[in-house]
């Protein structure tokens, strides 16, 4: 247990499922508030039902600068600060390198690289 996270405002991108959900769960167990931007609205709903009111779902495509700006305003106006950012969101579309198209490449790049930079 890490009591130093009690009361922290934490953001975990991609916390609707997988590793992000596990990270969010751990921070909530440590009594942090977790804001979770993700494009998976249904997954966010399920996570919110499981994790309760300290999990703040926020439907957002982090590869879009205007959406990230809206997220930043939401955090600033609602919480006044952000203590921790976990840049977890990534696309998991696995494609063999010899079958990868330029479109496949940019699909990953937009979220995995550009999204992390925008955050």
């Amino acid at each position: 247990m890490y009591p130093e996270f009690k009361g922290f405002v934490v953001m975990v991108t991609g916390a609707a499922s997988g590793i992000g959900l596990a990270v969010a769960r751990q921070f909530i167990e440590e009594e942090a508030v977790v804001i979770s931007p993700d494009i998976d609205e249904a997954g966010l709903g399920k996570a919110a039902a499981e994790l309760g009111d300290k999990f703040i779902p926020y439907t957002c495509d982090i590869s879009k600068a205007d959406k990230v700006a809206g997220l930043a305003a939401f955090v600033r106006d609602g919480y006044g600060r952000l203590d921790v950012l976990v840049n977890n969101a990534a696309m998991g579309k696995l494609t063999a390198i010899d079958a990868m198209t330029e479109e496949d490449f940019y699909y990953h790049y937009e979220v995995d690289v550009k999204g992390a930079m925008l955050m």
Side-chain angles (χ1 to χ4, degrees), residues 77-94:
D77 296 347
Y79 300 91
R81 70 183 205 280
L82 183 64
D83 300 307
V84 177
L85 169 63
V86 179
N87 248 339
N88 169 73
M91 300 312 299
K93 183 179 178 184
L94 298 177

Side-chain angles (χ1 to χ4, degrees), residues 93-106 108:
K93 183 179 178 184
L94 298 177
T95 305
I97 194 73
D98 61 345
M100 183 177 282
T101 65
E102 190 173 344
E103 183 178 277
D104 293 332
F105 172 80
Y106 283 112
H108 285 274

Side-chain angles (χ1 to χ4, degrees), residues 43-84:
L44 285 172
K46 289 178 186 175
E50 174 193 340
L51 298 177
D53 63 351
K54 289 193 180 282
F55 182 84
I56 312 302
Y58 189 94
T59 304
C60 181
D61 181 347
I62 65 162
S63 72
K64 307 294 184 220
D66 62 328
K67 303 300 182 188
V68 173
L71 172 62
F74 171 80
V75 173
R76 182 186 59 245
D77 296 347
Y79 300 91
R81 70 183 205 280
L82 183 64
D83 300 307
V84 177

